[in-house]
């Protein structure tokens, strides 16, 4: 429980959208009904079934956050959800203490660095790159291309954070190492915990040995979904990551809302609080302290525990 640990919790990897209506790799992603979406040729349960209108809104997320005692969240973006820049700009304006939002550019077409500059001018403090989606059947966008490097220099100059997920294993590690070398002051958050269920994940995790690089655990409960709660293998991955790079380089992320089709939002972190494999100090750093420092959250809300009717 948050009160027992004497800490405030921050989610470093979440998503918001009003409606999915896009394509990736030539395939459709589209909101249906009862929380379902057409996703790359398949009908999937994208949201919990009670979200019948398909709207994954900030207000619904805030209700989940308040219930689970999560003080703030970082909202990243994914091509499979469609570009949500306009909506997230509104979210940041309405709830500045609760959300840190990341903009998204069309990296498949020239001119995306100009898009990034416009997003920065509009107040975005983070830019998201779903790097694993930059490899399609027709094209591979390199993270160390000249236009990418130009964008990263602009971000570094303005103190804008890069939130990035990488392709499995070490496929893009060499590219991002060039970025780190070229832009050593650029703050980078590596997503999905480096994909610890995939061979070579350690190479992604070791990127956090660089001064301004962090790793967040968005989607870790999904990666170990077949094992299910309380996700002992996820705890072992966290323990191994602490040994590799230090707990101060790691942040918790939920990958909300996709992960809560299988578990509740609170369950996406309380398997950590209930673990005997981590110290209270490690839990506090991982679940909120590190993200507060890295993203610059201030005046975090204090959320009381509300007893369930069934308790």
């Amino acid at each position: 429980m948050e009160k027992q640990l004497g800490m405030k919790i921050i989610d470093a990897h979440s998503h918001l959208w009003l409606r999915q209506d896009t394509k990736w790799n030539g395939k459709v992603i589209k909101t249906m009904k009862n929380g379902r979406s057409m996703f790359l040729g398949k009908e999937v349960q994208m949201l919990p079934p009670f979200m019948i209108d398909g709207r994954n809104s900030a207000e619904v997320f805030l209700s989940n956050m308040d219930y689970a005692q999560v003080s703030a969240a970082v909202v990243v973006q994914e091509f499979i959800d469609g570009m949500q820049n306009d909506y997230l700009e509104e979210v940041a304006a309405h709830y500045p203490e609760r959300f840190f939002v990341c903009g998204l550019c069309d990296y498949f077409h020239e001119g995306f660095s100009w898009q990034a500059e416009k997003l920065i001018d509009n107040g975005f403090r983070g830019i998201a790159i779903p790097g694993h989606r930059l490899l399609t059947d027709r094209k591979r966008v390199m993270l160390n291309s000249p236009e990418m490097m130009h964008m990263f220099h602009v971000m570094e100059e303005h103190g804008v954070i890069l939130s990035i997920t990488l392709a499995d294993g070490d496929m893009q590690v060499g590219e991002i190492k060039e970025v780190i070398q070229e832009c050593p002051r650029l703050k980078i958050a590596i997503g999905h915990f480096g994909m610890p269920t995939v061979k070579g994940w350690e190479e992604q995790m070791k990127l956090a040995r660089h001064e301004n690089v962090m790793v967040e655990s968005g989607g870790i409960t999904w990666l170990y979904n077949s094992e299910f709660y309380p996700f002992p293998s996820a705890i072992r991955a966290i323990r191994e990551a602490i040994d590799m790079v230090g707990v101060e380089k790691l942040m918790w992320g939920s990958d909300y809302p996709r992960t809560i089709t299988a578990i509740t939002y609170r369950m996406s972190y309380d398997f950590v609080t209930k673990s005997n494999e981590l110290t209270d100090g490690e839990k506090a750093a991982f679940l909120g302290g590190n993200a507060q420092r890295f993203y610059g959250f201030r005046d975090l809300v204090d959320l009381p525990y509300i007893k369930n009717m069934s308790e």
Side-chain angles (χ1 to χ4, degrees), residues 154-302:
V154 171
M155 292 172 63
E156 182 183 38
E157 180 182 349
H158 287 84
V160 173
I161 293 175
L162 171 63
S163 175
I164 186 168
T165 53
L166 299 176
D168 291 353
D170 61 358
M171 185 179 298
Q172 293 173 310
V173 168
E175 297 168 42
I176 200 66
K177 281 183 177 179
E178 287 190 35
V179 175
I180 295 168
Q181 183 176 6
E182 183 77 13
C183 303
R185 293 181 293 106
L186 176 65
K187 296 174 73 173
I188 302 174
I190 307 293
H192 295 169
F193 220 55
M195 296 294 288
T197 56
V198 177
K199 182 179 179 181
W201 76 284
E202 297 91 346
E203 296 309 307
Q204 290 194 37
M205 184 59 63
K206 289 174 185 177
L207 292 168
R209 292 174 177 174
H210 295 274
E211 181 179 0
N212 289 313
V213 180
M214 303 281 283
V215 176
E216 42 90 344
S217 72
I220 198 168
T221 60
W222 159 67
L223 293 173
Y224 294 100
N225 183 62
S226 61
E227 181 180 84
F228 204 64
Y229 189 88
F231 308 108
S233 294
I235 292 294
R236 285 193 289 272
I238 294 168
R239 181 76 264 163
E240 188 173 349
I242 290 173
D243 293 340
M244 273 193 281
V245 301
V247 70
E248 70 279 1
K249 304 293 287 187
L250 307 174
M251 303 181 290
W252 168 69
S254 71
D255 210 5
Y256 175 99
R258 284 179 266 272
T259 48
I260 65 164
T261 57
I263 58 175
T264 68
Y265 185 48
R266 180 182 290 274
M267 289 168 70
S268 67
Y269 77 79
D270 76 354
F271 75 97
V272 174
T273 68
K274 293 174 180 177
S275 171
N276 294 322
E277 302 301 314
L278 304 170
T279 69
D280 283 356
E282 289 170 338
K283 294 173 184 177
F286 179 65
L287 291 173
N290 295 338
Q292 183 174 8
R293 181 187 72 251
F294 186 72
Y295 289 101
F297 282 105
R298 298 179 181 178
D299 303 320
L300 291 171
V301 296
D302 187 23

Side-chain angles (χ1 to χ4, degrees), residues 80-194:
I80 62 171
D81 301 326
M83 298 180 74
Q84 303 291 330
N85 294 324
D86 291 344
Y87 178 52
L88 293 188
E89 190 173 345
E90 294 179 11
V91 169
H94 281 99
Y95 309 106
E97 290 85 19
R98 303 300 299 274
F99 293 115
F100 180 107
V101 301
C102 296
L104 179 67
C105 305
D106 182 2
Y107 305 111
F108 291 102
H109 296 92
E110 291 185 7
F112 63 79
S113 62
W114 176 84
Q115 295 175 27
E117 291 181 41
K118 186 176 181 182
L119 289 170
I120 294 169
D121 288 342
N122 288 345
F124 281 86
R125 295 182 292 153
I127 299 291
I129 298 181
H132 60 307
R133 304 287 183 194
L134 298 181
L135 291 78
T136 69
D137 294 339
R138 295 184 177 183
K139 186 175 183 179
R140 174 173 178 174
V141 180
M142 303 296 289
L143 297 171
N144 55 355
S145 71
E147 187 168 10
M148 280 286 191
M149 285 299 192
H150 172 75
M151 183 182 76
F152 295 141
H153 278 293
V154 171
M155 292 172 63
E156 182 183 38
E157 180 182 349
H158 287 84
V160 173
I161 293 175
L162 171 63
S163 175
I164 186 168
T165 53
L166 299 176
D168 291 353
D170 61 358
M171 185 179 298
Q172 293 173 310
V173 168
E175 297 168 42
I176 200 66
K177 281 183 177 179
E178 287 190 35
V179 175
I180 295 168
Q181 183 176 6
E182 183 77 13
C183 303
R185 293 181 293 106
L186 176 65
K187 296 174 73 173
I188 302 174
I190 307 293
H192 295 169
F193 220 55

Side-chain angles (χ1 to χ4, degrees), residues 10-80:
I10 297 172
D11 187 342
H13 188 120
S14 65
H15 301 274
L16 293 174
W17 64 78
L18 293 182
R19 189 171 184 84
Q20 291 177 312
D21 187 8
T22 188
K23 289 183 178 180
W24 177 77
N25 201 18
K27 296 181 180 179
V28 170
I29 302 98
K30 193 173 184 66
T31 294
M32 299 172 69
K33 62 179 181 179
N34 298 335
R36 299 176 184 177
S37 290
M38 182 57 62
F39 179 67
L40 307 179
K42 297 180 180 179
E43 184 178 343
V44 300
Q45 194 72 46
M46 186 69 67
L47 301 169
F50 53 79
M51 296 170 72
I52 59 175
D53 60 1
R55 288 170 60 93
N56 172 32
S57 69
E59 288 72 25
V60 171
F61 190 20
L62 282 169
S63 181
N64 274 284
M65 290 167 64
D66 289 352
Y67 171 75
Q69 297 174 276
V70 175
S71 294
V74 179
V75 183
V76 302
Q77 292 199 58
E78 244 272 32
F79 288 128
I80 62 171

